[in-house]
Amino acid sequence: MARATATPSPGILPPDEHADLEDFVGYNLKRAYVIVDADFRRALGEDGLAPRVFSALSLIVHTPGITQSDLARRLGIERSGLVAIADELEARGFVMRKPVPGDRRVQALMPSAAGKAAYLEALETVRAHEASLLASLSSDEVETLVALLKKIRRIGE
Amino acid sequence: MARATATPSPGILPPDEHADLEDFVGYNLKRAYVIVDADFRRALGEDGLAPRVFSALSLIVHTPGITQSDLARRLGIERSGLVAIADELEARGFVMRKPVPGDRRVQALMPSAAGKAAYLEALETVRAHEASLLASLSSDEVETLVALLKKIRRIGE
DNA sequence: GATTGATTGTTTCAACGGTTAACAATATAG
DNA sequence: CTATATTGTTAACCGTTGAAACAATCAATC
């Protein structure tokens, strides 16, 4: 732990090195994210749903008829970025773009039966893999971790 | 919050919806990471150090003479990806590639005085911004968050 | 009812971060 | 000496994201 005292270079390094890279939330967040993200992709396989596609499908299944703009807002991305996601979901036959009577601009995203089934299956797979990956954490730890992450999320409006 | 009961579609949705998207560690990790990452870049400005460059510089300052391969391992990326980072650091005059007597393959990464100064300044900036961003979390909460994230990091070897 | 201003979905373009695969130079083990 | 491994590097590629523009459509205001 003590390394500043042995530094041969001029004393530019401050005595209070309390805020190392290892102590930054951002750095640890990134490193942890990379690990969990990789596990997710491993879980859903080579040509399975990517994380963002899974997230979109989840919201569509839970909120049938949601608009692309609304979905983008909910996911925190631009609506231009959501087009490719909706395209993929539609190409897989999991989601349909249905015109809305009142407003001819929007197209409601409706999950198909196959979409719902695929979602539930992926859900179970992801859940199992995440639980297995995080086996070294107690359920209490996971709970507080999620709570703290949600607290950070709440900062971004 | 009760939405399954009002779903007009056939009862494919299971009664135990405990594992929603919002409860996944991966999803919350990603969302929180995006927020903190954006704050980091905002803090260091348009043409400031990118997170990964800052991380690399930090390790070089704390471990003068570190090898590119070692640095890549420490950062959890491929050594091919580190070339661009080292290039940028060298172009900014923050780091020098110094040949090592014993082994003519490796080049030790040495921080310049400007590099050390730039690091310390960036360090302070990032620290202040992160503290301000996470003001809604107590120092205890930040501490446990970092501890939990490190626990996840430890999973990836 | 015509005009102004927003909103929606979309395309195109660029940037970034990262990986893989190859390569020459060099080092190490058998 | 010969095989094997490692280092730094380049080149090509992929996934994610944002920015900017656009036509179609809606809402509000005169």
Side-chain angles (χ1 to χ4, degrees):
Chain A
M1 306 296 190
R3 52 177 142 29
T5 51
T7 305
S9 47
I12 298 184
L13 281 242
D16 61 331
E17 290 192 64
H18 46 280
D20 204 348
L21 182 62
E22 293 288 327
D23 296 320
F24 277 116
V25 172
Y27 182 69
N28 286 284
L29 215 39
K30 166 76 174 297
R31 298 294 300 263
Y33 160 66
V34 166
I35 291 172
V36 176
D37 182 73
D39 181 70
F40 185 104
R41 295 173 192 277
R42 216 177 303 127
L44 260 48
E46 188 63 33
D47 42 86
L49 297 177
R52 60 182 197 154
V53 182
F54 173 79
S55 301
L57 180 57
S58 171
L59 290 191
I60 294 170
V61 168
H62 283 13
T63 322
I66 191 174
T67 267
Q68 280 187 215
S69 290
D70 283 349
L71 184 51
R73 269 187 285 270
R74 286 260 226 131
L75 292 175
I77 63 177
E78 295 297 315
R79 34 189 225 298
S80 62
L82 212 137
V83 176
I85 300 176
D87 284 350
E88 177 178 340
L89 248 11
E90 205 177 33
R92 287 180 188 253
F94 293 165
V95 161
M96 287 161 306
R97 285 171 160 109
K98 256 192 61 181
V100 169
D103 193 332
R104 276 186 303 178
R105 292 172 301 177
V106 316
Q107 284 173 291
L109 298 173
M110 297 295 299
S112 68
K116 289 181 203 174
Y119 168 66
L120 290 179
E121 189 188 333
L123 179 68
E124 215 35 56
T125 302
V126 172
R127 209 155 71 83
H129 269 78
E130 188 165 281
S132 149
L133 178 75
L134 304 178
S136 55
L137 280 76
S138 73
S139 50
D140 263 12
E141 287 178 320
V142 172
E143 204 176 321
T144 61
L145 172 60
V146 169
L148 291 172
L149 293 175
K150 282 184 180 172
K151 217 163 177 177
I152 294 183
R153 285 182 56 191
R154 239 168 277 137
I155 297 173
E157 266 65 50
Chain B
M1 305 313 176
R3 51 181 144 25
T5 51
T7 304
S9 47
I12 298 185
L13 283 241
D16 60 333
E17 290 192 62
H18 46 279
D20 205 348
L21 183 62
E22 294 288 326
D23 296 320
F24 277 117
V25 172
Y27 182 69
N28 285 284
L29 215 39
K30 165 75 173 299
R31 297 295 299 263
Y33 159 65
V34 166
I35 291 172
V36 177
D37 181 73
D39 180 71
F40 184 104
R41 295 173 193 278
R42 217 177 303 125
L44 261 47
E46 187 64 34
D47 41 87
L49 297 176
R52 60 183 198 155
V53 181
F54 172 79
S55 300
L57 180 56
S58 171
L59 290 191
I60 294 171
V61 168
H62 283 13
T63 321
I66 191 175
T67 267
Q68 280 186 216
S69 290
D70 282 349
L71 185 51
R73 268 186 285 270
R74 285 259 227 129
L75 291 174
I77 63 176
E78 295 296 317
R79 54 190 207 293
S80 61
L82 212 135
V83 176
I85 300 177
D87 284 350
E88 178 178 339
L89 248 13
E90 205 177 32
R92 286 180 187 253
F94 293 166
V95 161
M96 288 161 306
R97 286 171 160 110
K98 257 192 60 180
V100 170
D103 194 331
R104 277 186 300 180
R105 291 172 302 179
V106 317
Q107 284 173 291
L109 298 174
M110 298 294 299
S112 69
K116 290 181 204 173
Y119 168 65
L120 289 179
E121 190 188 332
L123 179 68
E124 214 36 54
T125 303
V126 172
R127 207 156 71 83
H129 268 77
E130 188 166 281
S132 149
L133 178 76
L134 303 179
S136 56
L137 280 75
S138 73
S139 51
D140 263 14
E141 286 178 320
V142 172
E143 204 176 322
T144 60
L145 172 60
V146 169
L148 290 173
L149 293 175
K150 283 184 180 173
K151 218 163 177 176
I152 293 183
R153 285 181 56 190
R154 236 169 278 135
I155 297 172
E157 265 64 50

